[in-house]
Amino acid sequence: MTIPTNLAALLWLAGAAIAAQNVNACWRNSTCDRILEPSFTGPWDKFNFAPRSRFVAPQTLLSLSDGASVGNYCADGTIIKASSTGTVFDFGLEVGGIVSFDYSLNGSTTNASIGLAFTEAKDYIGRKSDNSNGGTGQDTALLFALNGTQKGQYTMPDVSLRGGFRYLTIFLIADDSASVTLRNINLEISFQPTWPNLRAYRGYFFSSEELLDKIWYSGAYTLQTNSVPGNTGRANVQANRTGWNNAAYIGPGDTVLLDGAKRDRWVWIGDMGVAVPSAFVSTGDMESTKNALRAIFDNQSADGTLPKAGPPYLSKDSDTYHLWAIIGFYNYYLYTGDEVFLQNYWPKYVLGVNKILSKVNNKGIVNVTGTADWGRWLYSTERGSASMLLYRALVTGSHIAGWSPDLTDASAHKSNWTAAATALQKSIIEHFWDESRGAFKESPNNTSLYPQDANSMALAFEVLNASDHRADRVSAYLVTNWTPLGPINPEVSANVSTISPFITSIELEGHFKVGRPERSLELIRNAWGWYLNNPNGTQSTVSEGYLANGTWGYRGDRGYRNDPSYVSHAHGWSSGPTSTLTEYLVGLRVTGPKGLKWELKPATFDETERAEAGFTTGLGKFSAKFEVKNGTVRVRWDTPYSTEGYVQLPGQKGMVVKGGKGSIVIRK
């Protein structure tokens, strides 16, 4: 896949200092993180999309009529005539926050206003913003009435913070003879609020294939845009509202991981199954994850039911999102070893596990009563994905109980959950496996749908392990749904062929798990590479979803009002390549809390000549790399001395190693 020449320029612009304000600044009253520099520096820094300053300016000007570039932005002044439709200011990548500028009007101020409209996708530049408010009304534009003033300074009100956009259209409503000169257009970035240096990543990735590097960093940057102040969520107000309100409380602490930069700007806990591993290996920001989990578990019902989203939308109607919350709890503890959090929330965690276990029916599978889910059309009460998720929750819960035997009734829970997982695994295969199709059914009696989610989960969660001959059959079945832009998702494609990067992120892990890394990498290059290279996208983030014909109408017929502008172009649930390239291509991943135990199991040496990655935990820095040269493979690693690892190369026997530096050389 070719990479557009302008992408390199955009990456350079993202890293340039583009405003004079203090580079090391946190958002408003947020408590600043003490980490000022990245854990790893090197040639990969050029792929990091994060700006060097919290204050950024537009990069270029575009024609509103056709989106063509008409020159570079100059802070000294841009003239906009009332007789024109306006001017588009392109920031060069996804941004979000509060816009300000100086203005000087030439002409009558009577009934004069300056309008601002925002969009993530270039398709929707114009006098109306792309939609985000969740109601039936339009976002429209933000209008600033001059009220007789000829010149002055304007700053957007905080309630109108725009969480995600690339393009800003500014226009003048006044007598046709009037014009306004704008100077010093500036955006104060609101995301990653506690970081004084937005580029201070705790992880990195670098390979011999630039496209993979850029995709990895687009996922990382997406997760930054999704880590926001806890009082900047979308308000849950009347359904027919127009405009937008991003001043709602969504969770505790200074920073919270939500679903998307533009929308919904809530904690949707299902998204964290993909977002949290990717955040850990890249930005390393686990504080936002912890606060998102708190937003969910602090609002648990007395019977153990967890909400599918955080405030202000505390609906408790999704068993699958309940399960994702339990899995997210495990991921957070695995990556951080946060004992205080574990001790405080263990009773709620146990209550949540036992609540969902109570829904296992006489077939030994989950009977779903909280039917809401990630957007699929068919909500079977015995859907396979729910049982797959419960299997993962039970296995990971057993791990927690085993790691922390001093927790209340840990030993009993470990024994019970392990036994329940074993029984559930057998029931899943008995009731969902279709031998003739080589795939898992939607439900025991439904042979018309073989969903991408359940089949991907069966591999990623190791319901079928790599040695099971059925695993490769499932992997092969999933490939039958592929298009040049990614897999068609059967369970959301009732009326139009739709691609879900969220479920495809799980599919990536599944192919890696069963020894088909070439399939995972082909998917990454095709699906995520297509979006990154799309001139109408953000060219810096990962999108929520799209159609197989290459348009943005994801879920248009499934709750999105047939409005393609509503789609989010910076959605953390689509960041699967970021975690899988680190954890499977390079093969470096933690297997014990905080990385006390880890493994290095590169998936293949046939797809790339070189790949390396690293991340950071409370114990220190972990890194690994491999290089193929002249028929020889050299693998190196460097981990904290207090740790223990397991190293296994493709086709070789594994070995236990102590933390520190190590290397292996083999013939390919």
Side-chain angles (χ1 to χ4, degrees):
M1 181 173 291
T2 57
I3 300 169
T5 55
N6 70 332
L7 185 53
L10 292 177
L11 287 164
W12 182 87
L13 291 170
I18 50 180
Q21 287 90 342
N22 180 14
V23 171
N24 293 326
C26 296
W27 169 258
R28 304 293 171 85
N29 296 322
S30 300
T31 302
C32 271
D33 192 305
R34 295 180 180 179
I35 298 175
L36 300 179
E37 299 297 332
S39 294
F40 306 89
T41 58
W44 48 84
D45 291 337
K46 65 184 177 182
F47 301 117
N48 189 333
F49 290 94
R52 295 187 184 277
S53 171
R54 188 166 292 278
F55 298 88
V56 298
Q59 297 304 314
T60 57
L61 306 181
L62 306 182
S63 165
L64 187 51
S65 61
D66 59 8
S69 175
V70 295
N72 294 328
Y73 168 73
C74 177
D76 291 340
T78 301
I79 298 174
I80 300 174
K81 296 180 179 179
S83 59
S84 74
T85 53
T87 297
V88 180
F89 297 85
D90 180 4
F91 283 79
L93 75 169
E94 179 89 358
V95 291
I98 298 290
V99 170
S100 63
F101 53 77
D102 299 324
Y103 66 90
S104 178
L105 182 72
N106 179 22
S108 172
T109 62
T110 302
N111 297 322
S113 297
I114 297 174
L116 293 81
F118 303 85
T119 179
E120 292 182 303
K122 192 175 182 181
D123 312 58
Y124 309 114
I125 57 175
R127 286 193 170 198
K128 294 192 301 182
S129 299
D130 56 7
N131 283 322
S132 72
N133 67 32
T136 58
Q138 300 290 308
D139 276 27
T140 66
L142 184 63
L143 295 179
F144 165 52
L146 298 186
N147 293 325
T149 61
Q150 205 78 31
K151 60 169 45 180
Q153 198 269 346
Y154 171 73
T155 300
M156 289 168 57
D158 287 356
V159 70
S160 299
L161 178 148
R162 195 69 180 181
F165 69 96
R166 173 174 169 172
Y167 303 97
L168 166 63
T169 299
I170 301 182
F171 55 94
L172 176 63
I173 299 175
D175 184 274
D176 275 356
S177 63
S179 65
V180 65
T181 300
L182 303 183
R183 296 181 175 86
N184 303 317
I185 298 175
N186 195 44
L187 174 78
E188 182 184 6
I189 290 175
S190 56
F191 56 75
Q192 205 75 75
T194 63
W195 282 28
N197 179 359
L198 294 173
R199 297 174 62 83
Y201 286 12
R202 277 77 151 175
Y204 83 104
F205 176 82
F206 188 48
S207 75
S208 53
E209 189 172 337
E210 283 197 1
L211 180 60
L212 295 181
D213 299 341
K214 292 169 182 174
I215 290 170
W216 191 95
Y217 279 95
S218 70
Y221 185 58
T222 298
L223 291 159
Q224 283 195 285
T225 70
N226 292 179
S227 301
V228 307
N231 60 351
T232 62
R234 185 177 75 186
N236 192 21
V237 291
Q238 71 276 8
N240 63 347
R241 61 191 174 277
T242 58
W244 66 94
N245 179 328
N246 284 331
Y249 172 84
I250 54 172
D254 287 325
T255 180
V256 181
L257 181 64
L258 44 65
D259 63 330
K262 178 184 75 172
R263 56 135 283 268
D264 294 323
R265 295 190 69 81
W266 293 338
V267 176
W268 282 95
I269 202 64
D271 300 25
M272 294 177 66
V274 172
V276 175
S278 293
F280 167 68
V281 302
S282 61
T283 66
D285 173 18
M286 291 290 99
E287 185 70 16
S288 297
T289 295
K290 179 175 75 174
N291 290 331
L293 288 168
R294 290 171 62 195
I296 298 300
F297 280 89
D298 286 350
N299 289 287
Q300 185 178 39
S301 295
D303 71 351
T305 303
L306 294 163
K308 68 181 178 185
Y313 186 61
L314 293 169
S315 178
K316 297 174 181 175
D317 59 351
S318 175
D319 289 347
T320 54
Y321 272 45
H322 176 106
L323 284 159
W324 278 120
I326 292 168
I327 294 168
F329 185 106
Y330 161 82
N331 284 334
Y332 173 73
Y333 180 64
L334 171 67
Y335 297 139
T336 65
D338 186 342
E339 297 294 340
V340 173
F341 178 86
L342 178 61
Q343 292 286 343
N344 288 343
Y345 283 90
W346 175 248
K348 290 178 176 289
Y349 175 87
V350 171
L351 189 63
V353 175
N354 290 338
K355 174 62 179 178
I356 198 69
L357 266 175
S358 72
K359 299 191 179 188
V360 173
N361 62 18
N362 58 10
K363 296 177 184 175
I365 58 178
V366 178
N367 179 49
V368 175
T369 58
T371 57
D373 211 328
W374 62 270
R376 64 202 326 275
W377 264 106
L378 188 61
Y379 286 173
S380 311
T381 56
E382 292 183 327
R383 74 192 73 148
S385 58
S387 289
M388 303 291 180
L389 284 162
L390 177 56
Y391 177 77
R392 177 64 176 167
L394 291 169
V395 170
T396 54
S398 299
H399 290 331
I400 295 174
W403 290 330
S404 305
D406 293 334
L407 292 167
T408 303
D409 296 327
S411 178
H413 290 312
K414 182 178 187 298
S415 177
N416 293 338
W417 294 341
T418 300
T422 301
L424 178 61
Q425 184 181 33
K426 292 178 181 178
S427 296
I428 287 172
I429 294 171
E430 177 184 353
H431 293 288
F432 295 103
W433 176 252
D434 186 335
E435 179 65 23
S436 66
R437 191 66 177 266
F440 289 95
K441 298 175 286 188
E442 164 68 10
S443 60
N445 298 317
N446 185 342
T447 56
S448 64
L449 176 63
Y450 296 81
Q452 184 189 12
D453 58 8
N455 281 281
S456 298
M457 290 173 186
L459 303 184
F461 300 161
E462 297 180 291
V463 174
L464 299 177
N465 60 42
S467 64
D468 190 320
H469 72 280
R470 290 169 293 201
D472 197 59
R473 294 188 67 193
V474 173
S475 177
Y477 161 71
L478 289 167
V479 172
T480 66
N481 293 320
W482 286 12
T483 75
L485 305 188
I488 292 174
N489 181 279
E491 59 267 33
V492 80
S493 297
N495 300 313
V496 60
S497 295
T498 302
I499 292 169
S500 167
F502 168 45
I503 302 302
T504 304
S505 289
I506 302 170
E507 181 176 337
L508 294 180
E509 184 174 9
H511 292 306
F512 271 124
K513 278 277 182 71
V514 300
R516 299 309 298 259
E518 75 284 358
R519 290 175 175 168
S520 296
L521 291 166
E522 183 178 351
L523 264 186
I524 291 171
R525 293 172 181 126
N526 289 348
W528 280 268
W530 171 80
Y531 179 77
L532 185 63
N533 289 328
N534 192 310
N536 290 323
T538 69
Q539 296 186 305
S540 56
T541 53
V542 293
S543 72
E544 176 184 17
Y546 50 92
L547 300 185
N549 64 8
T551 61
W552 307 132
Y554 171 78
R555 283 190 58 187
D557 59 348
R558 187 69 185 90
Y560 283 12
R561 306 178 301 177
N562 290 308
D563 178 6
S565 82
Y566 190 67
V567 171
S568 166
H569 287 257
H571 230 66
W573 78 351
S574 301
S575 62
T578 302
S579 61
T580 55
L581 287 172
T582 294
E583 295 188 327
Y584 295 101
L585 178 60
V586 176
L588 182 64
R589 57 199 305 249
V590 300
T591 56
K594 204 188 300 188
L596 276 170
K597 290 194 175 182
W598 51 272
E599 69 178 25
L600 176 58
K601 298 170 68 175
T604 179
F605 298 135
D606 295 330
E607 290 285 326
T608 56
E609 294 178 356
R610 170 181 49 79
E612 59 182 285
F615 48 74
T616 309
T617 78
L619 298 176
K621 295 190 289 187
F622 297 70
S623 63
K625 64 179 71 176
F626 70 78
E627 185 172 15
V628 182
K629 192 173 183 180
N630 299 326
T632 298
V633 182
R634 180 181 295 274
V635 180
R636 299 173 180 169
W637 62 89
D638 188 358
T639 62
Y641 284 104
S642 58
T643 66
E644 180 181 275
Y646 181 78
V647 178
Q648 185 175 21
L649 308 187
Q652 306 289 314
K653 290 184 178 180
M655 62 179 182
V656 176
V657 299
K658 294 297 183 183
K661 293 184 178 181
S663 65
I664 299 176
V665 179
I666 63 170
R667 296 293 299 175
K668 186 172 181 296

